[in-house]
Amino acid sequence: ISDFQKMPYRFCANPMPVIISFYEGIDIDSKEDLDLANSFSNSTSMIDPRLLNLSPPRLLVTDFDGCLTNDRVSVDENGIESIQANRKDGLAAKRIQGMGVRILILSSEENPVVTHRAKKMGVGVIQGSGNKLNSLLEYLDKESLTLQDVWFVGNDMNDFEVLKAVKFSFCPIDAVDKILENS
């Protein structure tokens, strides 16, 4: 008789944590859960086909406002602006860089908070860009990279040209409709 059958609970030996994907980690507690799990078992229908056989980027470029912030700004009585950033973005940046991917913030805004945040995250930054695609192309030329090396995160119309030019693009769920439709 197996240890599993002998024990009154499901941990019958020395359990070890295992990192699994969302699709592998479905709790099956009902017939509907089982049907969902079965639909994933032999299907890639839930996976964006652009991601299949896609090599990782050499450079991840992201807009700042709305992509690394909640897209809100507070203005005090002296006209001083402040934003909210998520510390998890900094941790994610470290993990991404640990995979050998460089990160660049590309912003049309010129704001010291962007400089400070980029420094804290340990990423590159271009600010005050009147034309993000031209700014990116200049950066890529200096770094001996191409648009095929880039994945991009943007959320507003000033990101559209870059979004269409790079190998792969993403956007937050609250991006403007044209960006949502083309990411």
Side-chain angles (χ1 to χ4, degrees):
I1 194 163
S2 73
D3 287 343
F4 187 76
Q5 292 172 317
K6 290 183 207 173
M7 303 307 253
Y9 46 86
R10 63 182 168 177
F11 299 114
C12 57
N14 295 326
M16 298 290 293
V18 176
I19 297 173
I20 58 174
S21 74
F22 166 79
Y23 301 107
E24 296 169 313
I26 298 171
D27 285 330
I28 301 175
D29 299 317
S30 68
K31 170 81 169 87
E32 291 79 18
D33 291 343
L34 180 60
D35 291 341
L36 180 63
N38 284 332
S39 73
F40 291 146
S41 65
N42 293 318
S43 170
T44 58
S45 63
M46 296 299 290
I47 299 172
D48 186 326
R50 297 175 299 170
L51 291 173
L52 298 174
N53 301 315
L54 187 62
S55 59
R58 293 181 60 199
L59 176 68
L60 176 65
V61 178
T62 181
D63 182 27
F64 188 75
D65 293 319
C67 296
L68 292 176
T69 74
N70 62 4
D71 212 15
R72 293 187 173 94
V73 64
S74 297
V75 182
D76 71 13
E77 64 276 4
N78 299 312
I80 305 296
E81 292 185 358
S82 63
I83 57 94
Q84 286 188 343
N86 192 322
R87 291 188 186 276
K88 292 176 185 164
D89 290 334
L91 294 172
K94 297 291 183 235
R95 291 180 66 193
I96 291 167
Q97 290 167 322
M99 294 185 288
V101 179
R102 291 188 267 176
I103 301 174
L104 174 71
I105 296 172
L106 178 58
S107 179
S108 58
E109 294 286 326
E110 183 87 34
N111 191 328
V113 73
V114 180
T115 304
H116 293 296
R117 191 69 188 133
K119 184 177 180 184
K120 179 136 186 167
M121 291 173 64
V123 304
V125 62
I126 297 172
Q127 294 187 68
S129 174
N131 182 309
K132 288 186 176 186
L133 182 56
N134 286 344
S135 296
L136 178 59
L137 289 170
E138 288 174 21
Y139 177 88
L140 295 176
D141 188 51
K142 288 178 195 170
E143 298 296 319
S144 299
L145 297 169
T146 71
L147 288 168
Q148 290 299 301
D149 297 317
V150 178
W151 288 9
F152 179 69
V153 183
N155 71 321
D156 212 340
M157 287 309 300
N158 62 351
D159 298 317
F160 188 72
E161 278 188 301
V162 176
L163 176 146
K164 293 301 283 180
V166 299
K167 184 174 183 177
F168 200 76
S169 62
F170 306 86
C171 69
I173 193 70
D174 63 347
V176 298
D177 288 343
K178 191 168 182 177
I179 299 297
L180 280 167
E181 293 163 5
N182 287 279
S183 287

